[in-house]
Amino acid sequence: MWTRSELKGRAREALKRSYWESLVAYVIVVLATAPVSALVSLVPVLNVAGEVAVNLFLRGPLAVGLCFFFMQNRFGPPVVGNLFYAFDGRWYSKVVGAMAWRYLFLFLWSLIPAGGVAIF
């Protein structure tokens, strides 16, 4: 099992190799999702449903792409194009399905404390 210091050392080494690429990748993800989310929040009728759709169809695949980018960063120089890995035709429906299950289970598990609060 790895210790915390070993994990931090590996992360430092990976970021030393590609700090600017990692920063650019994160900024791309933020710039891709922030305007869409702001636009959805301007329309009150679409606020909740639009936010769920943005999370499911845009933020989820971009988060998977960002994780893929950082995983590739461990082994060699990363490619910023890996951010859009989940938007490939083979993977998009699988990623969206996995994110839908994730959000469903998060919602269901969040009902447990809400039920406890409602009882008291």
Side-chain angles (χ1 to χ4, degrees):
M1 175 148 271
W2 298 312
T3 64
R4 185 180 63 86
S5 60
E6 287 174 341
L7 289 174
K8 283 178 72 173
R10 288 181 184 186
R12 262 195 210 109
E13 290 300 319
L15 281 177
K16 278 183 186 177
R17 282 193 314 263
S18 60
Y19 176 77
W20 292 108
E21 290 90 350
S22 300
L23 185 67
V24 166
Y26 185 73
V27 168
I28 288 172
V29 169
V30 168
L31 290 178
T33 58
V36 176
S37 183
L39 189 65
V40 166
S41 67
L42 289 176
V43 181
V45 175
L46 297 177
N47 199 1
V48 173
E51 198 62 38
V52 168
V54 167
N55 281 335
L56 192 62
F57 297 111
L58 182 64
R59 277 192 195 134
L62 279 175
V64 169
L66 191 62
C67 289
F68 184 68
F69 174 84
F70 284 121
M71 284 183 0
Q72 293 298 319
N73 189 21
R74 292 183 310 170
F75 303 117
V79 178
V80 177
N82 287 342
L83 288 176
F84 306 104
Y85 163 79
F87 289 100
D88 185 14
R90 297 176 301 164
W91 299 109
Y92 186 71
S93 61
K94 293 177 183 178
V95 168
V96 169
M99 288 295 164
W101 280 108
R102 176 183 175 217
Y103 293 137
L104 175 69
F105 285 125
L106 281 172
F107 171 72
L108 292 175
W109 278 103
S110 69
L111 291 178
I112 293 173
V117 169
I119 290 173
F120 290 115

